[in-house]
Amino acid sequence: MRRPHIRRHRLAIAVAVTTAATLTAGVAGSASATPPASPVAASSATPALQKAVDAARAAAYAHAPATGVSKKDTLKATDTLVDPDGRQHVRFVRTHRGMPVLGGDLVVHLTAESAYEGVTRAYRHQVDMTGTDPKLSAGEARTKAASVGKGRAGDAELVVDARDGRTTLAYQVQVTDSRSAESGGARTVVLDAATGAVLSNVQADDSFLSPALQRKLRARGERLNPSTGLATPAPTAAGQTAKSAGFPAAAKGTGASFFVGSVPLSTTQTGKKSFTLKDSTRGNTETRDARDKELEKFADGKAFTSTTNRWGNGTTSNRATAAVDAQYGVASTLDFYKKTFGRKGIKNDGRGARALVHFGKKVGNAFWSPDCGCMLYGDGDGRTFAKPLVVLDVTGHELSHGVVDATANLQPTRVDIEGNQFGEPGSLNESLADIFGSAVEFATNNPKNPPNYLMGEKLGLDQKFLRRLDKPSLDKLEGTVDYWSKASYDTEVHAGSGVSSHAYYLLAEGSGKKTIGGVAYNSPTVDGSKVTGIGRTKATAIFYRALTRYMVSTTDFHDARTATLRAAKDMYGAKSTEYKTVDKAWAAVNVKASNKPSGKH
């Protein structure tokens, strides 16, 4: 699931800007060709980028019938991408008569000459509020939200809810310390400002394991027995004191992890024999100890320190062991995004990511919080989960949710009372997290954690993996599906993720039997057709470009097909093998132009 534990103010806007640079190949693939150049982050806004934002904003108003923007709307840029050929893509969120619009995001596309080229937008109806006086008071909204969210209500903010075909004056309330969440997390409650009806009630925990899956595992009495790669780091020159007397200074240490054996770690030397688990070479990425508390702030965590620059012992007897896996996983994920796409940090702002291990008491899950920029890892519930979920692909998956959140911000269409999420945009979000989480493994290529198209294979599940991309329906725990159907409109997001994950695998590797890295795969197609893959490098690049330029909060599977086709056309041309294979891969999972839904689902 995809929401942060720590309370977040979702409507605060930070402008991220990017410029073009040459792509560094960082994903192993069966095809040798390197994708075209991809942009990297700029450290600050430039006149040229501001010019792109201004041009896109003007184009949005000038082409109102297509963009849906009115004179009562104000647009705020959240991301600006400039391609190597000069084409520009500016992502906006909007306010209407001064109120944030839920489901009002859009991306304006410009030519190299800053001429309007098109738009990708969320809900397509016009937003026009005739009145802004709520019948419900802010206090009444807070009381109702606290009751619904089973926690403490924060401020009630007036918003326009433009989701699901409506234009409704509403209150949005953040509810913290929710008793409905696994670890006392937060919920975002949206209420009709006239009737008090609950329009949405979304769990704010971006948890790796859904409530439904946890319940099923407990009902089965299944106790996970994760496969670990125990190793104690040998004293090496990397673990010794730096020669320079200037502190703080970057240092190289070693760690003994739970899952990947002995690993190198970039740390910070703060004194002659004093080190902290903080990586200045990756935007001050740092892991701290939550000390078994459900901390609201990363700063409240206890820093991990060492006199030897050797961390952990591969077992739970040393609290730093979980920190080794966490720090290694975060660093590996950041390296993947930077080396492959030039993306500097989760939000593309140059900042590192942070992690809190030993989060809460008997918490058997892992979470991502965009607001904090933190990964949160529990130590296990002592029943089903005996160890922290600090596995590499779990970290890659959750941090990739952060990337999706910072770009398309794909949202579920429905959330039930337990916090299970439903709908195609949410399924696509889970799928992209699996796709890029798998790519992190391939890019890292650690022999103690061999890369594959399986998710959660080191968790110790009886079925040997949690999800897989080649034939998703082999996941019986979550009931993941291989192909699209009308039922996908309201399928639980982890189960529904199989549609686009399967399309990605077919694009990368093709259909039928094959063995990759010692793992046997056999990917079917809905109609028995044969698909020949274009390689992991190209497939991953196409999906990333589609995410960052052509997806918005409401993108469903048919929209994702269009987005990846546009990305392939940009990169390789409309007559290319790559473009045609994208079309074949989606058709092979039953997502076609001919069965695209019309109107409201």
Side-chain angles (χ1 to χ4, degrees), residues 121-135:
R121 54 185 284 201
Y123 293 104
R124 301 192 63 83
H125 61 282
Q126 192 78 25
V127 176
D128 187 12
M129 290 295 304
T130 56
T132 59
D133 294 325
K135 293 182 179 180

Side-chain angles (χ1 to χ4, degrees), residues 13 15 49-64 67 69-70 73-78 80 88-94 106-110 114 116:
I13 305 301
V15 177
L49 291 168
Q50 186 57 53
K51 183 179 179 181
V53 171
D54 293 342
R57 183 180 287 110
Y61 289 106
H63 297 269
T67 64
V69 176
S70 74
D73 294 339
T74 300
L75 300 179
K76 293 185 179 181
T78 60
T80 303
Q88 303 146 50
H89 312 266
V90 183
R91 188 177 297 273
F92 293 104
V93 294
R94 80 176 78 180
L106 65 155
V107 183
V108 176
H109 310 290
L110 305 175
S114 296
Y116 175 77

Side-chain angles (χ1 to χ4, degrees), residues 265-266 277-279 285-287 323-332:
L265 295 172
S266 295
L277 199 53
K278 184 176 184 178
D279 184 354
T285 289
E286 182 178 6
T287 299
V324 170
D325 282 280
Q327 186 83 350
Y328 178 76
V330 172
S332 297

Side-chain angles (χ1 to χ4, degrees), residues 6-26:
I6 293 177
R7 179 181 179 183
R8 72 185 281 215
H9 305 283
R10 292 189 51 81
L11 296 161
I13 305 301
V15 177
V17 294
T18 59
T19 55
T22 302
L23 174 72
T24 302

Side-chain angles (χ1 to χ4, degrees), residues 366-382:
F367 313 87
W368 161 251
S369 166
D371 200 37
C372 167
C374 297
M375 280 295 303
L376 312 174
Y377 299 93
D379 282 334
D381 57 9

Side-chain angles (χ1 to χ4, degrees), residues 128-480:
D128 187 12
M129 290 295 304
T130 56
T132 59
D133 294 325
K135 293 182 179 180
L136 210 66
S137 71
E140 290 171 328
R142 292 179 71 250
T143 300
K144 178 70 177 287
S147 175
V148 170
K150 299 181 180 180
R152 292 187 298 134
D155 295 336
E157 179 182 26
L158 277 177
V159 300
V160 178
D161 190 345
R163 300 171 298 177
D164 202 25
R166 57 180 174 252
T167 301
T168 304
L169 184 65
Y171 281 109
Q172 180 170 261
V173 185
Q174 299 290 333
V175 178
T176 58
D177 298 325
S178 173
R179 297 184 301 279
S180 64
E182 175 188 4
S183 54
R187 301 186 79 88
T188 300
V189 179
V190 178
L191 305 169
D192 189 312
T195 66
V198 178
L199 301 178
S200 62
N201 177 13
V202 180
Q203 181 180 331
D205 286 352
D206 186 357
S207 55
F208 182 69
L209 302 168
S210 71
L213 175 61
Q214 291 176 306
R215 186 176 65 251
K216 180 176 287 189
L217 288 170
R218 288 165 184 155
R220 290 162 58 127
E222 188 168 340
R223 183 176 173 83
L224 274 65
N225 182 28
S227 56
T228 57
L230 303 182
T232 301
T236 65
Q240 304 304 312
T241 311
K243 293 181 179 180
S244 172
F247 305 118
K252 295 181 179 180
T254 55
S257 72
F258 281 127
F259 295 103
V260 288
S262 180
V263 294
L265 295 172
S266 295
T267 62
T268 298
Q269 185 170 4
T270 56
K272 187 175 181 181
K273 291 186 178 181
S274 179
F275 303 86
T276 187
L277 199 53
K278 184 176 184 178
D279 184 354
S280 62
T281 69
R282 294 180 176 86
N284 289 324
T285 289
E286 182 178 6
T287 299
R288 290 189 178 184
D289 189 344
R291 296 171 294 176
D292 307 317
K293 300 177 183 178
E294 293 177 10
L295 299 180
E296 291 290 324
K297 297 179 181 178
F298 177 79
D300 292 338
K302 181 182 179 182
F304 281 99
T305 60
S306 170
T307 59
T308 63
N309 210 8
R310 297 195 295 273
W311 309 83
N313 64 3
T315 73
T316 55
S317 66
N318 190 313
R319 293 183 74 84
T321 299
V324 170
D325 282 280
Q327 186 83 350
Y328 178 76
V330 172
S332 297
T333 303
L334 293 176
D335 286 352
F336 159 72
Y337 279 105
K338 183 178 180 181
K339 293 177 180 178
T340 310
F341 305 119
R343 188 176 187 88
K344 295 183 179 179
I346 300 305
K347 295 183 179 180
N348 207 16
D349 57 4
R351 297 180 182 180
R354 301 173 294 187
L356 286 170
V357 293
H358 309 301
F359 179 81
K361 293 183 179 180
K362 296 188 180 299
V363 175
N365 220 326
F367 313 87
W368 161 251
S369 166
D371 200 37
C372 167
C374 297
M375 280 295 303
L376 312 174
Y377 299 93
D379 282 334
D381 57 9
R383 294 178 295 170
T384 305
F385 307 98
K387 287 186 174 69
L389 269 69
V390 286
V391 184
L392 178 60
D393 60 4
V394 172
T395 298
H397 171 102
E398 288 300 322
L399 289 175
S400 292
H401 274 314
V403 173
V404 174
D405 191 88
T407 53
N409 192 24
L410 292 156
Q411 298 291 313
T413 56
R414 180 174 71 87
V415 183
D416 69 16
I417 193 170
E418 289 185 330
N420 296 297
Q421 301 180 8
F422 299 82
E424 291 189 23
S427 295
L428 181 60
N429 195 327
E430 287 298 331
S431 170
L432 290 167
D434 280 354
I435 288 167
F436 295 125
S438 171
V440 168
E441 277 194 347
F442 279 106
T444 305
N445 198 25
N446 187 313
K448 294 290 182 67
N449 193 136
N452 51 54
Y453 290 106
L454 313 178
M455 291 301 300
E457 73 276 7
K458 293 181 77 70
L459 294 180
L461 291 160
D462 286 348
Q463 70 176 21
K464 307 303 181 185
F465 54 86
L466 179 56
R467 289 182 295 277
R468 58 188 298 155
L469 278 62
D470 65 316
K471 189 177 182 180
S473 61
L474 291 175
D475 165 26
K476 304 302 181 183
L477 281 170
E478 296 174 305
T480 307

